[in-house]
Amino acid sequence: MRRWPVLAFVAWAALLFWAALGLFARGFLLTRLELPQRSACRPGPPPWPGPGPAPPPAAASAPGGCWLPRRFARAVLVLIDALRFDFARWEPEAAAAAGPGPGRPFANRLPTLRRLLAARPRQARLYRFRADPPTTTLQRLKGLATGSLPTFVDAGSNFASHAVREDNLLRQLADNGKRVVFMGDDTWDGLFPEAFSQSYFFPSFNVKDLHTVDEGILQHLYPTVDGGEWELLIAHFLGVDHCGHKHGPDHPEMAKKLSQMDAMLRSLVDHLANDTLLLVAGDHGMTSTGDHGGESEDEVNAALFVYSKAPLFQDLPPQEPETVPQVNLVPTLALLLGVPIPYSNIGEVMADLFAVEGDAASSVLAQLAAYSVNAWQVNRFLHSYSLAAQDLSEEKLLRLQDQFSAIMEEYKQFLAQAGPPALPELQRLRSRFSRYLREARAVCAESWARFHPACMVAGCALLASSCLLCWVASQVASAWGFSYRHLLLYPLLWGVAGAALLGLAHLWGWAGVDFILLASWAAAASQCGFFWHCWARRSWRPRSTGPRSSSGAAGLRQRLWARAGPALPLSLLCVRCGAMLSDSFVMAEAQVVAFLLVSLVLLLVLRLHWEGRLEDSPFSWQLLGLLGGILACVRLSGLFRQCREETPHCRSSPVLAPLSSLQDPQTKNFYYMLCLAVLVGLAWGVRCWLRHYGNLNSPSPPVLFVRWGFPLLAICIGGYWAITSGAEEALVQAHPWVQLALVAFPQSVFVLVIAGLLLVLWDPVTVFVKDSREAAATGGPILLPSSQEELQQVIPQLYRRMQESLKSRLGETKAGSRATVAAYGLGSVYSAALLIPLALLGFLFMVLHTERLSLAFLLLFLEAFAWLWVHSWAGALASQADPFTVPWEALIGWALAAAQFFYATGHQPVFPAIHWNAAFVGFQQGHGANLIPALLVGANTFASHILFAAGCPLLLLWPFVCEMAGCQSRTPKSETDDGEEQLMEMRLREAPDKFSLALLQLGLKYLSVLGVQMLACVLAAMILRRHLMVWKVFAPKFVFETLGFVVSSIFLLLGIGLVMRVDCAVSLWFKQVILAQPR
Amino acid sequence: MRHTEIKRLLSVNVVCIASIILTTLVPSLFLENFSVLGTHLIWLCICSASVGTGNVILYLIFKPNPSMRRNSIAHKVAKFIRCCVYFFVSCILFHGIIVLYGAPLIESILETFLFAVLLSTFTTLHCLCVLGPNFQAWLRVFSKNGAMSIWDNNLQITTMCSVVGAWLGAFPIPLDWDRPWQVWPISCSLGATFGYVAGLLIAPLWIYWNRKQLTYKSR
Ligand SMILES: [Zn+2]
Ligand SMILES: [Zn+2]
């Protein structure tokens, strides 16, 4: 048996997928490091020396302000979600053509802005407010508060909540004693908990609802404005955005909505005091269909309107409104209100708003003061960031630093000068400041906030070709001679060559390289190698087209009919993949997967009936019973689902809550007993299985572990649950031994599980040899094998000999020959060695979940067993099936069950749904390092992926194991040919090459089933990257699915590796048995 | 012979389709506020009843499988009672399968049951009409080479189409379109009905198309 090549091939295939996923993630997931620092009043920007004539940028002592003297006592920020620039702009053509044009219902619907702009050009101004993609509300709000660029993965933030941890404008205001009042979209509640002195949140989830939020705000807006209990008032209107999503911008409803906004603005302006700044802004635009999220012009162009009752601007507005990036709002507003600029801000102050009354020179000097503070802050941020993370280009940072020093030097000289400096020079300095800030922002944006479509497409292509490779390789493995040299070694060499080529290109400076790029390049090259060799070898394959050509139309129909059988399960897989492309289906995936699984099982049984295989078969009733069992498991597992926050009417299952939350002691005891029963059931079930197949008699350490370690494990878990479910907080505090038990029980579970796994790995042969000398005595002596081939011949011989001896010894007893043969446990040695670790892992996962989820794990094991039986009986009934090939439908069902139990163990692919408590099982006091909690939470989250992937080889082994049961039920036949004995899994050893190929094929098939699902998920994330739900649904789904895939492939490898290890050990065991024989 | 048989089948199916169309139109003349979506349960009852009676009458007239040896009254009554029991059991079975597919267990139990009745009408009642209360015959018809007449083929196709239609009807339920027909069990029962109608149309066409290949073993 060739062990290492098989493992290497599966590992290589898994690595191909990983490289593809890494490449895609590089293009799709925007990342940035969050810095924990915050700006403070002091130390503020350094005071510049010299007696400046202009207002010096005095540090903390500025009157009514912190880094600069404040210009406004208050500000009102009216955020109209999705206020596109052309919604706010006045279109003279449309106005001329008899009012609002018929084609554009949104045009000229905000006449208040137009009136103010025309009548008071020094008090009002309209800007083009450019959003940084991704243009989704959540990311935009983060950007509007922190002055930084939004990303999906803000490394360092807490995944459990969306709360903004970075320094932001709201926090600065609160820290400096300013009151912030908020009304509108309740997204802000999650983002900035407790940032507001007063708040009116309204539900924003229902996109179809145009009016709840807006009318809620309108009720509170004017009383609050008149009340004056605030320094910053934020009103976030959602109607325009929802109207866009529901009807699109070109709809009469949009006109109504905008008119409502106009009326609101008109009366709001009348309510404003003189020292109040009014800002009307859109967080992003919308496409012609009303969506947003991407980076098209329509989406990034929002409107910003600034107005104050006091004159604000020095000069008249330009013909075409200026363009202002959205991050610029943060430093501007911070300095205008007299608070420090948030630490991570990379925006640039809007110079217009800092001009002062008087001559041009003093105005420019005031602007320069703001600029210098801003530039100092940005430089400080870049410096801290480059210390913490390496993703910004070093040489660019260096250049920026030089630029900053030069400008500051010049600015200092100006301030030090005695006389008033010349205006043109001041203006030149201002533009240099502005250029510095722009370049700094560009450097950041380049690395943080851009999807890389090329990476994404390449990742998808690589993923698709990896799926194809797995499929081709599995076909090749079953159809024609498989050469590891041609199909593994040479492609790997190709891959190395490809990577080397890229490395050389990098050395010569032609290409920038990072690890992911290198890996994906190598993966692509090795795939090319594989396909090339495959294609080259294909032509040598003997052709068998002779009989086919003679068949006519009827033959074609028959062949189509024969194809339709396997195609139906595949079409179910396609439905599952298609379901990933819709956000509703992703949200309802738990139901979708269960539905498809039920369909698959029913389809399988109905097909058997249709083909007439169930007729007069003794299995049919058992098969129907198993079918019912699977269906019941699937349905019952639906009781353990958690809900997502996007589905408000859904209720999470009460069973997910820990037992300690139950008030009624009787129910609590009932559930506790039920959980104990599950523990006992699992331990007892494994024992029973082993006893039935005779593996329990063996004196080997794993069996001893099953006998004694499993009950011990169950006791530990039961004790742990008793404490967690019963103990009050106070009791835990009072009694140190309770605390000790809280730690000791789970930790002993961990230790036992690890010990058990190591024991299985050390000596996996659970075979009991009873007096083998006697067995050998009945026949002639067996020659000591001298070579591997000879050994392989000897083994079945030996096995038969043992059976014969036993038969002769126990022949007359009513136990029957089969039971005694099985008593050796040789026929189920592989499965037994797999089952024990699976049960151990099951115990481990139970302790990591809340108590009552152990019921879900029981269902998982029951369903998996029922599925294995159905699969092997279906294989036995389909007479011509090759026992060494696992059919696709079995693997698809297996993968679907894995996905189903991900949901049925109370998980959802969103970050808030992760069971963080798992990190503290056995570690009540927290952790020093991050590795252990990550492992614990990962094991909790991907429990079902792990169990199903590691148990995947059972799909191959089970039909051989149940050969015995099958023959027993076929009584009349097997009584007659008693000579044919049940070799069970030893059949696999009889054909070691076929066995290794079968394992390879199994691994590749499972990988490709998982890979196809992964491909669908990736395509969904790529195609729908400007979907409303991309950051809420598709991106987290992608992250979970990727991690699940990686975990699954690792444990698939481990499962196959364990089978190999057993095989190795069994060979050794045979050698020992033969050596022990008398010559 | 074959052609006349197919024509008879076609006429039976057309009458069935007509009865379904009538159930959507006629009740609105008598009942106020009747609509298939609005008062779905009433429609389900009417549709099941009318398709059921229509089928029974049609098959009594056409008698596709005239194999009555004993025709005593007692035998007929016994047969009728067995038919009723079979029908009821199939309703329960369908209800169980629908619940296993994920339908709510307790809430909207009436809707689920009426949907099961509709499905039974489309499938089991059809079987009862053609094959009688003979479970072995049913098993035979629903296997690969089990069809013995074009009526059996018709039965296979309509049953399969109704079930597949109901299955496909479940797909739009999770979508967030907020349409009235996404409410359980409207989309499924509409799917089953469309599937049934499609089956009724497809079956004669398919049989006509394949009339050369279809060879029936005699009983
Ligand atoms: Zn928005
Ligand atoms: Zn929106």
Side-chain angles (χ1 to χ4, degrees):
Chain A
M1 173 162 186
R2 318 184 67 160
R3 300 191 187 100
W4 289 113
V6 172
L7 276 181
F9 200 104
V10 180
W12 173 57
L15 282 175
L16 293 180
F17 281 105
W18 297 1
L21 289 174
L23 192 62
F24 181 84
R26 199 180 105 124
F28 178 67
L29 293 181
L30 320 168
T31 53
R32 165 166 73 84
L33 195 73
E34 269 184 10
L35 296 183
Q37 287 101 322
R38 291 204 231 161
S39 295
C41 266
R42 59 187 87 220
W48 314 113
S61 58
C66 215
W67 287 3
L68 272 189
R70 70 157 199 234
R71 292 201 65 189
F72 289 93
R74 304 137 187 268
V76 178
L77 173 60
V78 175
L79 208 56
I80 300 177
D81 209 285
L83 182 71
R84 201 162 78 183
F85 179 68
D86 54 357
F87 292 2
R89 167 183 217 162
W90 189 259
E91 307 279 355
E93 300 91 59
R104 316 245 78 183
F106 57 78
N108 298 342
R109 292 290 173 185
L110 297 174
T112 305
L113 302 188
R114 145 89 180 163
R115 188 169 52 78
L116 292 174
L117 285 169
R120 305 170 194 174
R122 284 187 201 278
Q123 286 165 253
R125 193 156 293 181
L126 182 69
Y127 295 95
R128 212 181 263 275
F129 202 35
R130 246 185 119 74
D132 299 296
T135 48
T136 48
T137 300
L138 188 77
Q139 316 295 328
R140 291 317 326 136
L141 296 186
K142 282 189 184 180
L144 281 173
T146 58
S148 187
L149 297 179
T151 56
F152 171 61
V153 182
D154 295 328
S157 74
N158 187 356
F159 281 129
S161 77
H162 294 299
V164 174
R165 294 299 177 86
E166 267 184 312
D167 195 10
N168 60 63
L169 185 62
L170 300 176
R171 180 176 252 170
Q172 284 298 340
L173 287 166
D175 285 355
N176 290 287
K178 318 258 170 178
R179 290 158 297 176
V180 183
V181 175
F182 178 81
M183 46 189 76
D185 183 352
D186 61 359
T187 313
W188 289 73
D189 191 19
L191 282 176
F192 309 102
E194 291 158 21
F196 307 112
S197 66
Q198 209 182 341
S199 52
Y200 306 93
F201 296 118
F202 303 98
S204 61
F205 179 68
N206 186 0
V207 176
K208 304 278 152 55
D209 173 10
L210 306 189
H211 301 298
T212 307
V213 177
D214 293 4
E215 274 158 18
I217 299 172
L218 288 178
Q219 254 181 14
H220 297 287
L221 182 61
Y222 307 120
T224 314
V225 170
D226 295 336
E229 300 275 300
W230 48 274
E231 267 78 36
L232 176 64
L233 191 152
I234 304 174
H236 187 168
F237 291 88
L238 271 183
V240 174
D241 175 62
H242 284 186
C243 182
H245 287 299
K246 194 174 172 188
H247 304 292
D250 291 309
H251 193 277
E253 200 63 35
M254 184 62 89
K256 280 190 211 159
K257 206 70 225 177
L258 288 172
S259 301
Q260 184 195 14
M261 291 296 113
D262 187 63
M264 177 270 297
L265 289 174
R266 194 170 56 236
S267 44
L268 181 63
V269 165
D270 296 337
H271 281 265
L272 287 183
N274 269 341
D275 59 348
T276 308
L277 178 69
L278 171 69
L279 298 151
V280 181
D283 57 345
H284 48 76
M286 60 173 76
T287 61
S288 55
T289 56
D291 294 319
H292 54 92
E295 41 197 312
S296 70
E297 278 302 303
D298 276 347
E299 290 161 282
V300 295
N301 271 328
L304 171 67
F305 174 78
V306 183
Y307 171 78
S308 95
K309 285 215 163 140
L312 192 56
F313 299 100
Q314 268 295 301
D315 23 57
L316 289 173
Q319 206 62 31
E320 181 64 18
E322 265 182 89
T323 300
V324 175
Q326 286 198 347
V327 282
N328 290 10
L329 188 68
V330 170
T332 311
L333 207 51
L335 292 183
L336 286 178
L337 291 176
V339 295
I341 305 177
Y343 196 91
S344 313
N345 161 61
I346 53 168
E348 166 194 352
V349 288
M350 293 160 64
D352 297 345
L353 290 167
F354 289 86
V356 289
E357 295 278 341
D359 64 335
S362 60
S363 211
V364 176
L365 270 176
Q367 289 171 350
L368 279 180
Y371 264 126
S372 74
V373 170
N374 190 195
W376 172 81
Q377 170 267 329
V378 167
N379 182 60
R380 182 181 63 166
F381 166 70
L382 287 180
H383 180 68
S384 315
Y385 191 86
S386 67
L387 290 182
Q390 269 69 47
D391 54 345
L392 295 183
S393 143
E394 196 129 335
E395 79 193 70
K396 281 181 188 162
L397 282 179
L398 219 58
R399 216 180 58 226
L400 282 174
Q401 175 66 39
D402 291 344
Q403 213 175 333
F404 173 75
S405 317
I407 301 170
M408 275 309 186
E409 200 52 44
E410 197 175 337
Y411 180 56
K412 259 188 237 176
Q413 281 169 9
F414 268 119
L415 291 185
Q417 269 172 21
L423 188 61
E425 278 184 50
L426 282 178
Q427 278 165 343
R428 199 174 51 77
L429 186 61
R430 187 177 64 181
S431 64
R432 280 184 69 190
F433 264 124
S434 165
R435 198 168 61 233
Y436 164 74
L437 288 167
R438 260 169 227 187
E439 279 176 23
R441 203 166 56 84
V443 166
C444 295
E446 189 182 16
S447 120
W448 295 341
R450 194 139 300 160
F451 288 127
H452 299 285
C455 269
M456 289 158 76
V457 171
C460 280
L462 203 55
L463 201 58
S465 66
S466 306
C467 289
L468 186 69
L469 181 141
C470 279
W471 182 76
V472 167
S474 70
Q475 294 304 104
V476 168
S478 69
W480 25 290
F482 197 91
S483 149
Y484 288 105
R485 180 146 44 110
H486 285 92
L487 297 183
L488 178 63
L489 186 63
Y490 291 164
L492 282 182
L493 289 179
W494 279 56
V496 171
L501 217 64
L502 190 69
L504 281 182
H506 176 59
L507 281 186
W508 287 333
W510 293 340
V513 166
D514 60 10
F515 176 70
I516 289 177
L517 209 61
L518 200 69
S520 43
W521 186 259
S526 62
Q527 284 195 5
C528 288
F530 174 85
F531 286 120
W532 193 81
H533 281 287
C534 227
W535 187 77
R537 285 174 61 79
R538 188 186 159 78
S539 51
W540 309 336
R541 179 164 70 123
R543 282 163 195 271
S544 60
T545 49
R548 274 195 194 169
S549 53
S550 62
S551 56
L556 180 78
R557 177 200 304 281
Q558 225 129 54
R559 260 189 293 143
L560 274 182
W561 201 233
R563 281 280 162 85
L568 279 174
L570 286 181
S571 69
L572 284 182
L573 184 66
C574 290
V575 172
R576 158 133 175 81
C577 293
M580 297 222 185
L581 289 165
S582 151
D583 59 323
S584 314
F585 277 120
V586 173
M587 280 194 240
E589 198 174 40
Q591 285 93 325
V592 172
V593 171
F595 182 88
L596 291 179
L597 191 58
V598 169
S599 306
L600 182 67
V601 186
L602 281 177
L603 191 70
L604 211 65
V605 175
L606 287 180
R607 208 174 80 203
L608 280 177
H609 171 70
W610 175 257
E611 288 167 357
R613 298 193 199 285
L614 284 186
E615 262 176 74
D616 57 65
S617 154
F619 300 138
S620 52
W621 285 109
Q622 290 159 353
L623 200 61
L624 282 182
L626 283 173
L627 170 77
I630 294 183
L631 298 188
C633 283
V634 173
R635 184 68 175 97
L636 285 176
S637 71
L639 300 177
F640 299 92
R641 270 179 215 145
Q642 198 181 8
C643 287
R644 302 169 65 107
E645 55 180 3
E646 290 92 345
T647 46
H649 55 272
C650 165
R651 284 275 160 80
S652 281
S653 162
V655 185
L656 296 176
L659 269 187
S660 54
S661 67
L662 280 184
Q663 297 303 322
D664 181 21
Q666 233 166 357
T667 6
K668 194 188 268 192
N669 286 343
F670 168 73
Y671 275 119
Y672 181 67
M673 285 317 198
L674 214 58
C675 296
L676 283 191
V678 169
L679 286 177
V680 173
L682 184 58
W684 181 76
V686 174
R687 254 183 90 117
C688 267
W689 192 90
L690 292 178
R691 176 148 11 95
H692 182 251
Y693 288 99
N695 297 75
L696 202 63
N697 300 328
S698 152
S700 72
V703 174
L704 290 181
F705 189 83
V706 172
R707 279 166 172 276
W708 304 110
F710 274 28
L712 202 59
L713 264 173
I715 289 171
C716 283
I717 299 175
Y720 176 64
W721 285 347
I723 295 174
T724 52
S725 62
E728 308 287 322
E729 250 343 274
L731 186 74
V732 176
Q733 296 301 321
H735 292 278
W737 57 267
V738 177
Q739 284 175 342
L740 181 74
L742 265 181
V743 175
F745 275 132
Q747 288 202 350
S748 51
V749 170
F750 298 155
V751 169
L752 278 173
V753 167
I754 291 170
L757 291 176
L758 289 179
L759 277 182
V760 171
L761 209 60
W762 176 50
D763 182 11
V765 181
T766 51
V767 178
F768 175 54
V769 196
K770 194 172 184 186
D771 208 2
S772 61
R773 232 164 260 131
E774 214 177 306
T778 53
I782 295 174
L783 292 174
L784 192 66
S786 55
S787 69
Q788 188 68 29
E789 287 86 64
E790 223 171 299
L791 180 70
Q792 277 161 16
Q793 284 177 359
V794 166
I795 288 164
Q797 213 179 329
L798 178 74
Y799 183 76
R800 283 185 189 123
R801 184 80 52 77
M802 287 173 153
Q803 265 182 312
E804 277 161 26
S805 79
L806 267 171
K807 265 181 219 163
S808 65
R809 205 142 38 85
L810 301 165
E812 261 43 62
T813 58
K814 67 177 173 62
S817 59
R818 261 144 242 113
T820 46
V821 171
Y824 278 101
L826 194 56
S828 55
V829 62
Y830 295 102
S831 313
L834 258 175
L835 269 182
I836 297 171
L838 287 178
L840 282 172
L841 286 176
F843 281 123
L844 178 70
F845 297 147
M846 280 187 201
V847 93
L848 289 179
H849 283 79
T850 54
E851 296 90 351
R852 282 178 283 176
L853 276 176
S854 52
L855 296 166
F857 279 96
L858 184 71
L859 287 178
L860 183 152
F861 280 103
L862 288 179
E863 190 184 312
F865 273 78
W867 181 254
L868 284 170
W869 283 107
V870 166
H871 151 62
S872 41
W873 278 347
L877 289 172
S879 45
Q880 74 274 37
D882 177 13
F884 284 90
T885 347
V886 179
W888 284 101
E889 56 259 33
L891 283 161
I892 292 172
W894 202 248
L896 282 178
Q900 178 220 338
F901 275 102
F902 172 75
Y903 292 100
T905 46
H907 296 286
Q908 280 286 347
V910 283
F911 295 113
I914 293 178
H915 299 181
W916 296 106
N917 284 335
F920 301 100
V921 173
F923 298 90
Q924 296 292 320
Q925 311 305 329
H927 302 269
N930 281 332
L931 181 66
I932 293 176
L935 283 180
L936 291 178
V937 172
N940 172 297
T941 306
F942 298 110
S944 107
H945 291 90
I946 290 173
L947 286 175
F948 278 97
C952 194
L954 286 177
L955 284 172
L956 174 65
L957 303 174
W958 211 263
F960 292 96
V961 172
C962 75
E963 185 184 15
M964 184 179 72
C967 284
Q968 260 175 348
S969 11
R970 251 187 232 148
T971 30
K973 211 165 123 198
S974 61
E975 286 299 334
T976 50
D977 23 281
D978 234 349
E980 194 188 319
E981 61 289 298
Q982 285 77 48
L983 287 173
M984 290 165 68
E985 286 179 355
M986 285 304 113
R987 271 191 212 289
L988 290 163
R989 278 199 63 85
E990 279 186 333
D993 280 332
K994 271 183 105 175
F995 183 24
S996 64
L997 275 185
L999 274 178
L1000 173 69
Q1001 208 185 347
L1002 175 80
L1004 290 176
K1005 276 183 168 177
Y1006 194 59
L1007 272 184
S1008 62
V1009 169
L1010 293 180
V1012 167
Q1013 294 178 19
M1014 196 63 239
L1015 180 66
C1017 179
V1018 161
L1019 281 176
M1022 185 172 78
I1023 296 168
L1024 300 172
R1025 63 181 185 278
R1026 56 185 51 188
H1027 190 273
L1028 170 69
M1029 285 290 172
V1030 70
W1031 302 110
K1032 270 199 156 164
V1033 174
F1034 293 112
K1037 172 78 182 148
F1038 166 72
V1039 172
F1040 274 80
E1041 195 81 356
T1042 306
L1043 290 176
F1045 180 87
V1046 170
V1047 169
S1048 291
S1049 49
I1050 290 174
F1051 277 85
L1052 178 70
L1053 268 174
L1054 289 179
I1056 294 177
L1058 185 61
V1059 174
M1060 303 276 179
R1061 167 79 189 99
V1062 178
D1063 191 62
C1064 212
V1066 169
S1067 299
L1068 207 69
W1069 178 84
F1070 270 116
K1071 264 186 203 154
Q1072 281 171 354
V1073 170
I1074 292 162
L1075 281 175
Q1077 293 205 343
R1079 304 302 306 267
Chain B
M1 161 64 197
R2 189 52 71 72
H3 278 276
T4 55
E5 192 89 8
I6 293 177
K7 270 180 196 156
R8 276 174 64 194
L9 178 68
L10 185 64
S11 54
V12 168
N13 286 0
V14 166
V15 173
C16 276
I17 295 171
S19 74
I20 289 180
I21 294 172
L22 284 182
T23 55
T24 59
L25 302 178
V26 172
S28 53
L29 301 178
F30 304 106
L31 297 171
E32 266 183 52
N33 302 329
F34 176 86
S35 71
V36 174
L37 298 184
T39 52
H40 189 67
L41 293 186
I42 297 174
W43 177 78
L44 274 181
C45 296
I46 294 175
C47 187
S48 314
S50 70
V51 171
T53 45
N55 261 327
V56 171
I57 294 168
L58 280 172
Y59 282 95
L60 281 180
I61 295 170
F62 282 92
K63 284 211 170 77
N65 289 336
S67 63
M68 316 294 168
R69 282 188 296 271
R70 290 172 297 160
N71 274 329
S72 68
I73 296 287
H75 184 253
K76 274 187 175 167
V77 169
K79 197 173 163 187
F80 178 73
I81 291 174
R82 273 175 67 198
C83 280
C84 290
V85 170
Y86 269 54
F87 184 76
F88 187 69
V89 168
S90 100
C91 290
I92 302 278
L93 262 180
F94 268 117
H95 188 107
I97 291 176
I98 294 164
V99 167
L100 286 175
Y101 257 106
L105 185 62
I106 299 184
E107 40 190 296
S108 64
I109 192 164
L110 183 65
E111 281 91 339
T112 310
F113 188 73
L114 285 179
F115 174 49
V117 170
L118 185 79
L119 266 182
S120 301
T121 315
F122 289 159
T123 57
T124 318
L125 193 73
H126 216 155
C127 286
L128 284 169
C129 289
V130 178
L131 303 169
N134 178 358
F135 193 67
Q136 290 305 320
W138 295 14
L139 284 182
R140 169 190 50 84
V141 167
F142 288 103
S143 63
K144 203 174 185 175
N145 297 317
M148 287 190 185
S149 68
I150 59 169
W151 300 94
D152 292 359
N153 275 114
N154 180 42
L155 189 62
Q156 282 179 356
I157 292 171
T158 51
T159 305
M160 220 184 301
C161 285
S162 330
V163 172
V164 168
W167 187 76
L168 288 176
F171 280 46
I173 294 178
L175 291 172
D176 59 352
W177 297 344
D178 285 339
R179 295 295 151 87
W181 48 265
Q182 281 180 294
V183 179
W184 170 254
I186 298 179
S187 58
C188 282
S189 50
L190 288 184
T193 312
F194 284 126
Y196 182 60
V197 170
L200 289 175
L201 285 175
I202 291 169
L205 292 177
W206 188 83
I207 291 167
Y208 181 75
W209 199 255
N210 291 293
R211 63 191 183 282
K212 299 260 165 49
Q213 277 91 43
L214 287 174
T215 48
Y216 298 114
K217 284 176 280 182
S218 60
R219 237 167 262 217

